[in-house]
């Protein structure tokens, strides 16, 4: 079956612009996670959705970052007034449910802010 | 706070050598999960294994084996008879269990290069 997909695969933007990154989880997976991976580092947690609601957004770095999952499937990570420090690979993962805990990762979106 | 330390930044071996990747973790939870993920040059994280904190039995899967020791808070990963295709960055990760989001806390990764 299809895995987690993310679009676009690459996004180049200018400082101060607004960007949206999309994640399409594995069908039927209720848990969805966003992580950010900077060069040479491990992924860092941003936000977790269980169904439509953001159950844990403790990893969002500031209020320029926001994510939604309106129908409990596709999720969009939104970044306002982008800064050069936002440049990273943004990873999405889904899981059948919170309890099972095994997370399946997408290929990521590489965001470059010039 | 949860923390995962992978002290080896880079390891280089010759094909067919055995190699062990170290992972040390910190957590105040009594119930937690430990993971290993592989990130090949293509970039996509590939799940390798999950262990829960109550199961210290070592596990073997083909050329891969894992040694979990709660006494030393370690969860080491050994590749036997390494192959060039094993070249990747390997991440150890930790999550709490029950009540929380079970987000993964990753180490910084160990880059393994297997030379022919």
């Amino acid at each position: 079956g299809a895995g987690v997909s993310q679009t676009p695969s690459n996004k180049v933007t200018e400082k101060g612009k607004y960007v949206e990154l999309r994640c399409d989880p594995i069908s039927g997976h209720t848990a969805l996670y966003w992580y950010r991976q900077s060069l040479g580092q491990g992924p860092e947690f941003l936000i977790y959705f269980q169904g439509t609601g953001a159950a844990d957004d403790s990893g969002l770095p500031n209020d320029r970052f926001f994510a939604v999952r309106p129908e409990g499937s596709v999720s969009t990570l939104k970044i306002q007034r982008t800064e050069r420090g936002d440049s990273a690979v943004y990873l999405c993962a889904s899981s059948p449910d919170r309890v099972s805990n095994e997370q399946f990762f997408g290929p990521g979106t590489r965001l470059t802010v010039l | 706070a949860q923390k995962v330390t992978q002290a080896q930044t880079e390891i280089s071996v010759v094909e067919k050598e055995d190699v062990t990747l170290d992972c040390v973790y910190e957590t105040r939870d009594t119930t937690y999960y430990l993971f290993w993920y592989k990130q090949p040059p293509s970039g996509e994280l590939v799940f390798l294994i999950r262990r829960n904190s109550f199961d210290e039995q070592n596990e073997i899967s083909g050329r891969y084996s894992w040694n979990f020791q709660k006494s030393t808070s370690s969860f080491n990963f050994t590749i036997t008879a390494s192959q060039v295709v094993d070249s990747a960055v390997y991440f150890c990760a930790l999550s709490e269990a029950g009540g929380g989001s079970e987000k993964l806390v990753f180490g910084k990764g160990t880059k393994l290069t297997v030379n022919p």
Side-chain angles (χ1 to χ4, degrees), chain A residues 4 33 35 37 40-45 48 55-56 58 91 98-107, chain B residues 33 35 37 39 42-45 47 50 91 95-104 106-109:
Chain A
V4 177
Y33 301 79
Y35 293 83
Q37 186 175 19
Q41 302 294 316
E44 293 179 315
F45 170 77
Y48 156 68
D56 182 354
S58 62
L91 296 167
R98 179 180 61 80
V99 176
S100 76
N101 195 251
E102 180 181 330
Q103 296 179 26
F104 298 84
F105 281 81
Chain B
Y33 291 95
F35 301 77
Y37 280 84
Q39 190 172 45
S42 60
E44 194 156 342
L45 281 162
F47 168 84
R50 177 188 66 177
F91 291 97
S95 78
E96 65 181 13
S101 66
E102 297 183 11
K103 62 192 177 193
L104 296 173
F106 286 86
K108 292 187 175 183

Side-chain angles (χ1 to χ4, degrees), chain A residues 1-113:
Chain A
V4 177
S5 62
Q6 292 185 246
T7 54
S9 54
N10 278 285
K11 176 71 177 178
V12 180
T13 191
E14 293 180 345
K15 181 175 178 296
K17 299 289 188 182
Y18 168 82
V19 296
E20 289 190 353
L21 311 179
R22 176 188 166 110
C23 171
D24 217 321
I26 294 172
S27 178
H29 281 195
T30 59
L32 186 146
Y33 301 79
W34 283 98
Y35 293 83
R36 178 168 72 172
Q37 186 175 19
S38 300
L39 193 63
Q41 302 294 316
E44 293 179 315
F45 170 77
L46 295 176
I47 188 169
Y48 156 68
F49 286 90
Q50 181 59 43
T52 60
D56 182 354
D57 64 359
S58 62
L60 294 178
N62 52 59
D63 61 6
R64 295 186 298 104
F65 288 75
F66 188 70
V68 295
R69 195 185 184 199
E71 297 178 357
S73 179
V74 170
S75 176
T76 304
L77 178 66
K78 309 180 181 193
I79 310 174
Q80 298 177 324
R81 304 182 305 279
T82 52
E83 300 177 357
R84 292 193 180 88
D86 298 336
S87 296
V89 176
Y90 289 81
L91 296 167
C92 177
S94 70
S95 178
D97 53 60
R98 179 180 61 80
V99 176
S100 76
N101 195 251
E102 180 181 330
Q103 296 179 26
F104 298 84
F105 281 81
T109 293
R110 182 176 297 279
L111 174 66
T112 303
V113 182

Side-chain angles (χ1 to χ4, degrees), chain B residues 46-108:
Chain B
V46 177
F47 168 84
L48 295 178
I49 190 172
R50 177 188 66 177
R51 304 296 287 174
N52 74 54
S53 52
F54 296 112
D55 184 0
E56 287 192 71
Q57 193 168 14
N58 291 331
E59 181 155 339
I60 298 175
S61 176
R63 296 184 297 107
Y64 294 171
S65 63
W66 290 269
N67 183 291
F68 176 26
Q69 293 196 349
K70 285 179 82 169
S71 61
T72 56
S73 297
S74 65
F75 185 45
N76 296 337
F77 172 32
T78 297
I79 302 174
T80 303
S82 59
Q83 299 177 0
V84 172
V85 293
D86 295 328
S87 297
V89 181
Y90 290 86
F91 291 97
C92 181
L94 166 73
S95 78
E96 65 181 13
S101 66
E102 297 183 11
K103 62 192 177 193
L104 296 173
V105 175
F106 286 86
K108 292 187 175 183

